[in-house]
Amino acid sequence: MIGAPHVHHRVTDSTNRRARALAEDGAPHGTLVTADEQTAGRGRQGRSWSAPAGSAVLMSVVVRDLAPGAEALLPLTAAVAACEGVDAAAAVRCEIKWPNDVWLEGRKLAGILVEGRPAEGWAVVGIGINVSARLADLPDELRSTATSLASAGRSGARSDEVLSAVVLALDRRLGTPAPELLDAWRGRDALHGERVTWSGGTGVAAGVDESGALIVETGAGERVRLDAGEVHLTGAAGRSTT
Ligand code: BTN
């Protein structure tokens, strides 16, 4: 059961950092850490994550003893659950930018950072969802690419309801068999058919394979597989990539 125990901080450095410390001390599967504000929020690929105090859902969950193979799909699982939770709480339709950015109306609404110690049987799923921030309150570098539920016209959305809905969806999706999970992910694939660029080339995104790698058609029938741990997309036609 996700959400018990639940540790809430008014201010902390990073809910992922707190959850990792709890996991290292043996916290059970489902332990939830939340905060109103982070002073050192962590993002993917060494970036930071920031949101004005009280404006976002900031949550991290300790996940233990996943079925074989489920570990690799955890970032995609979290993205599907975040989309489903936000959709249910705010009556929107979120999409996913590979591997696990949550987009609303072509802008980034939520970010996900999965960290873990597979050898020790645990991972931490960290999710940050912009709820009530105004675009003007976001850091300069995010203003043209990010959004919040309030900025997208859902100013009635409540953080506690978004949190509960995402927790529920994560609980359900952690038990979903891989083929069904991948189908749900593909149904929200924002990059499908879009041109994408990475350090090694450019091509047209053609969905994910069974391991969660992005398939890109580079021309003349050639396809390459991009692994999320190794590749950072630098461009996607008409879409932000932050
Ligand atoms: C990204 O898009 O780069 C991932 C951002 C993940 C941010 C969330 S906020 C809650 C949790 N605690 C952190 O320090 N990071 C994640």
Side-chain angles (χ1 to χ4, degrees):
M1 158 97 186
I2 304 290
H6 180 182
V7 181
H8 180 75
H9 299 273
R10 197 178 64 74
V11 183
T12 191
D13 48 2
S14 152
T15 56
N16 261 36
R17 206 156 164 218
R18 296 297 112 223
R20 286 184 66 136
L22 292 173
E24 276 160 7
D25 283 350
H29 173 83
T31 299
L32 172 67
V33 181
T34 54
D36 294 334
E37 182 180 356
Q38 294 182 129
T39 54
R42 295 149 65 107
R44 288 183 61 232
Q45 294 173 322
R47 292 188 296 256
S48 61
W49 168 273
S50 71
S55 73
V57 169
L58 305 169
M59 59 182 287
S60 300
V61 175
V62 176
V63 174
R64 285 193 186 274
D65 303 326
L66 288 172
E71 182 100 27
L73 291 181
L74 191 53
L76 279 68
T77 304
V80 168
C83 284
E84 290 175 344
V86 172
D87 285 6
V92 290
R93 172 77 187 169
C94 291
E95 295 183 296
I96 304 169
K97 194 206 105 183
W98 180 85
N100 59 2
D101 280 353
V102 173
W103 277 6
L104 181 59
E105 297 166 359
R107 286 170 167 254
K108 181 164 167 172
L109 177 77
I112 294 170
L113 175 64
V114 176
E115 305 181 275
R117 292 264 177 83
E120 291 169 30
W122 61 263
V124 164
V125 175
I127 307 176
I129 305 166
N130 293 321
V131 176
S132 60
R134 293 174 306 152
L135 284 190
D137 301 328
L138 294 175
D140 286 353
E141 65 276 15
L142 298 183
R143 217 164 286 155
S144 60
T145 56
T147 192
S148 68
L149 287 170
S151 304
R154 273 70 174 187
S155 48
R158 289 179 38 173
S159 291
D160 56 344
E161 291 176 359
V162 173
L163 172 66
S164 303
V166 172
V167 162
L168 207 67
L170 190 57
D171 210 21
R172 188 168 80 88
R173 283 307 185 182
L174 284 171
T176 299
E180 196 185 313
L181 188 275
L182 287 166
D183 277 354
W185 192 98
R186 291 180 180 119
R188 294 178 182 271
D189 182 359
L191 292 186
H192 199 274
E194 300 271 356
R195 178 155 293 276
V196 297
T197 303
W198 73 102
S199 57
T202 182
V204 176
V208 288
D209 69 11
E210 66 290 341
S211 73
L214 183 69
I215 306 300
V216 182
E217 291 171 349
T218 56
E222 282 174 28
R223 297 181 136 214
V224 295
R225 278 180 81 249
L226 303 183
D227 189 273
E230 294 158 14
V231 165
H232 173 56
L233 297 182
T234 53
R239 307 280 200 166
S240 75
T241 57
T242 51

PDB file of all heavy atoms in Angstrom, residues 188-201:
ATOM      1  N   ARG A 188      -0.160   7.653 -24.379  1.00  0.00           N
ATOM      2  CA  ARG A 188       0.079   9.057 -23.971  1.00  0.00           C
ATOM      3  C   ARG A 188       1.383   9.592 -24.558  1.00  0.00           C
ATOM      4  O   ARG A 188       1.890  10.619 -24.096  1.00  0.00           O
ATOM      5  CB  ARG A 188       0.145   9.143 -22.437  1.00  0.00           C
ATOM      6  CG  ARG A 188      -1.151   8.816 -21.740  1.00  0.00           C
ATOM      7  CD  ARG A 188      -0.982   8.875 -20.245  1.00  0.00           C
ATOM      8  NE  ARG A 188      -2.189   8.514 -19.553  1.00  0.00           N
ATOM      9  CZ  ARG A 188      -3.156   9.373 -19.200  1.00  0.00           C
ATOM     10  NH1 ARG A 188      -3.038  10.656 -19.481  1.00  0.00           N
ATOM     11  NH2 ARG A 188      -4.217   8.957 -18.557  1.00  0.00           N
ATOM     12  N   ASP A 189       1.913   8.910 -25.544  1.00  0.00           N
ATOM     13  CA  ASP A 189       3.236   9.232 -26.093  1.00  0.00           C
ATOM     14  C   ASP A 189       3.185  10.525 -26.899  1.00  0.00           C
ATOM     15  O   ASP A 189       2.722  10.548 -28.040  1.00  0.00           O
ATOM     16  CB  ASP A 189       3.686   8.056 -26.974  1.00  0.00           C
ATOM     17  CG  ASP A 189       5.064   8.254 -27.557  1.00  0.00           C
ATOM     18  OD1 ASP A 189       5.697   9.306 -27.307  1.00  0.00           O
ATOM     19  OD2 ASP A 189       5.527   7.338 -28.272  1.00  0.00           O
ATOM     20  N   ALA A 190       3.718  11.613 -26.317  1.00  0.00           N
ATOM     21  CA  ALA A 190       3.650  12.923 -26.971  1.00  0.00           C
ATOM     22  C   ALA A 190       4.625  13.048 -28.135  1.00  0.00           C
ATOM     23  O   ALA A 190       4.467  13.923 -28.985  1.00  0.00           O
ATOM     24  CB  ALA A 190       3.963  14.014 -25.940  1.00  0.00           C
ATOM     25  N   LEU A 191       5.640  12.212 -28.179  1.00  0.00           N
ATOM     26  CA  LEU A 191       6.667  12.365 -29.222  1.00  0.00           C
ATOM     27  C   LEU A 191       6.421  11.492 -30.448  1.00  0.00           C
ATOM     28  O   LEU A 191       7.144  11.605 -31.433  1.00  0.00           O
ATOM     29  CB  LEU A 191       8.054  12.008 -28.654  1.00  0.00           C
ATOM     30  CG  LEU A 191       8.628  12.943 -27.605  1.00  0.00           C
ATOM     31  CD1 LEU A 191      10.060  12.537 -27.262  1.00  0.00           C
ATOM     32  CD2 LEU A 191       8.591  14.385 -28.073  1.00  0.00           C
ATOM     33  N   HIS A 192       5.428  10.637 -30.379  1.00  0.00           N
ATOM     34  CA  HIS A 192       5.238   9.698 -31.487  1.00  0.00           C
ATOM     35  C   HIS A 192       5.081  10.453 -32.810  1.00  0.00           C
ATOM     36  O   HIS A 192       4.229  11.323 -32.933  1.00  0.00           O
ATOM     37  CB  HIS A 192       4.013   8.810 -31.252  1.00  0.00           C
ATOM     38  CG  HIS A 192       4.058   7.581 -32.110  1.00  0.00           C
ATOM     39  ND1 HIS A 192       3.593   7.550 -33.403  1.00  0.00           N
ATOM     40  CD2 HIS A 192       4.571   6.344 -31.873  1.00  0.00           C
ATOM     41  CE1 HIS A 192       3.789   6.350 -33.912  1.00  0.00           C
ATOM     42  NE2 HIS A 192       4.388   5.597 -33.000  1.00  0.00           N
ATOM     43  N   GLY A 193       5.938  10.115 -33.777  1.00  0.00           N
ATOM     44  CA  GLY A 193       5.874  10.771 -35.088  1.00  0.00           C
ATOM     45  C   GLY A 193       6.576  12.120 -35.132  1.00  0.00           C
ATOM     46  O   GLY A 193       6.623  12.761 -36.186  1.00  0.00           O
ATOM     47  N   GLU A 194       7.140  12.558 -34.027  1.00  0.00           N
ATOM     48  CA  GLU A 194       7.834  13.857 -33.979  1.00  0.00           C
ATOM     49  C   GLU A 194       9.322  13.659 -34.263  1.00  0.00           C
ATOM     50  O   GLU A 194       9.900  12.620 -33.905  1.00  0.00           O
ATOM     51  CB  GLU A 194       7.700  14.480 -32.580  1.00  0.00           C
ATOM     52  CG  GLU A 194       6.281  14.742 -32.145  1.00  0.00           C
ATOM     53  CD  GLU A 194       5.791  16.125 -32.566  1.00  0.00           C
ATOM     54  OE1 GLU A 194       6.592  16.896 -33.134  1.00  0.00           O
ATOM     55  OE2 GLU A 194       4.616  16.412 -32.322  1.00  0.00           O
ATOM     56  N   ARG A 195       9.946  14.681 -34.855  1.00  0.00           N
ATOM     57  CA  ARG A 195      11.403  14.637 -35.045  1.00  0.00           C
ATOM     58  C   ARG A 195      12.093  14.897 -33.722  1.00  0.00           C
ATOM     59  O   ARG A 195      11.722  15.830 -32.998  1.00  0.00           O
ATOM     60  CB  ARG A 195      11.830  15.661 -36.098  1.00  0.00           C
ATOM     61  CG  ARG A 195      13.339  15.712 -36.310  1.00  0.00           C
ATOM     62  CD  ARG A 195      13.700  16.227 -37.682  1.00  0.00           C
ATOM     63  NE  ARG A 195      13.304  15.312 -38.752  1.00  0.00           N
ATOM     64  CZ  ARG A 195      14.010  14.261 -39.182  1.00  0.00           C
ATOM     65  NH1 ARG A 195      15.168  13.967 -38.598  1.00  0.00           N
ATOM     66  NH2 ARG A 195      13.581  13.499 -40.159  1.00  0.00           N
ATOM     67  N   VAL A 196      13.038  14.066 -33.392  1.00  0.00           N
ATOM     68  CA  VAL A 196      13.810  14.242 -32.153  1.00  0.00           C
ATOM     69  C   VAL A 196      15.300  14.271 -32.495  1.00  0.00           C
ATOM     70  O   VAL A 196      15.734  13.710 -33.497  1.00  0.00           O
ATOM     71  CB  VAL A 196      13.535  13.120 -31.120  1.00  0.00           C
ATOM     72  CG1 VAL A 196      12.085  13.137 -30.678  1.00  0.00           C
ATOM     73  CG2 VAL A 196      13.902  11.748 -31.669  1.00  0.00           C
ATOM     74  N   THR A 197      16.047  14.955 -31.645  1.00  0.00           N
ATOM     75  CA  THR A 197      17.490  15.103 -31.876  1.00  0.00           C
ATOM     76  C   THR A 197      18.216  14.767 -30.595  1.00  0.00           C
ATOM     77  O   THR A 197      17.753  15.136 -29.513  1.00  0.00           O
ATOM     78  CB  THR A 197      17.798  16.572 -32.273  1.00  0.00           C
ATOM     79  OG1 THR A 197      17.016  16.896 -33.423  1.00  0.00           O
ATOM     80  CG2 THR A 197      19.272  16.754 -32.603  1.00  0.00           C
ATOM     81  N   TRP A 198      19.308  14.067 -30.689  1.00  0.00           N
ATOM     82  CA  TRP A 198      20.154  13.770 -29.530  1.00  0.00           C
ATOM     83  C   TRP A 198      21.600  13.882 -29.975  1.00  0.00           C
ATOM     84  O   TRP A 198      21.867  14.161 -31.158  1.00  0.00           O
ATOM     85  CB  TRP A 198      19.807  12.414 -28.926  1.00  0.00           C
ATOM     86  CG  TRP A 198      20.237  11.217 -29.721  1.00  0.00           C
ATOM     87  CD1 TRP A 198      21.306  10.405 -29.496  1.00  0.00           C
ATOM     88  CD2 TRP A 198      19.606  10.706 -30.912  1.00  0.00           C
ATOM     89  NE1 TRP A 198      21.376   9.420 -30.455  1.00  0.00           N
ATOM     90  CE2 TRP A 198      20.354   9.589 -31.332  1.00  0.00           C
ATOM     91  CE3 TRP A 198      18.499  11.086 -31.671  1.00  0.00           C
ATOM     92  CZ2 TRP A 198      20.034   8.844 -32.477  1.00  0.00           C
ATOM     93  CZ3 TRP A 198      18.173  10.359 -32.807  1.00  0.00           C
ATOM     94  CH2 TRP A 198      18.932   9.244 -33.188  1.00  0.00           C
ATOM     95  N   SER A 199      22.526  13.686 -29.061  1.00  0.00           N
ATOM     96  CA  SER A 199      23.933  13.927 -29.408  1.00  0.00           C
ATOM     97  C   SER A 199      24.392  13.046 -30.572  1.00  0.00           C
ATOM     98  O   SER A 199      25.290  13.431 -31.321  1.00  0.00           O
ATOM     99  CB  SER A 199      24.821  13.702 -28.190  1.00  0.00           C
ATOM    100  OG  SER A 199      24.608  12.395 -27.706  1.00  0.00           O
ATOM    101  N   GLY A 200      23.736  11.887 -30.752  1.00  0.00           N
ATOM    102  CA  GLY A 200      24.181  10.954 -31.792  1.00  0.00           C
ATOM    103  C   GLY A 200      23.458  11.093 -33.122  1.00  0.00           C
ATOM    104  O   GLY A 200      23.771  10.376 -34.069  1.00  0.00           O
ATOM    105  N   GLY A 201      22.477  11.963 -33.226  1.00  0.00           N
ATOM    106  CA  GLY A 201      21.781  12.088 -34.502  1.00  0.00           C
ATOM    107  C   GLY A 201      20.384  12.653 -34.381  1.00  0.00           C
ATOM    108  O   GLY A 201      20.010  13.263 -33.371  1.00  0.00           O
TER     109      GLY A 201
END
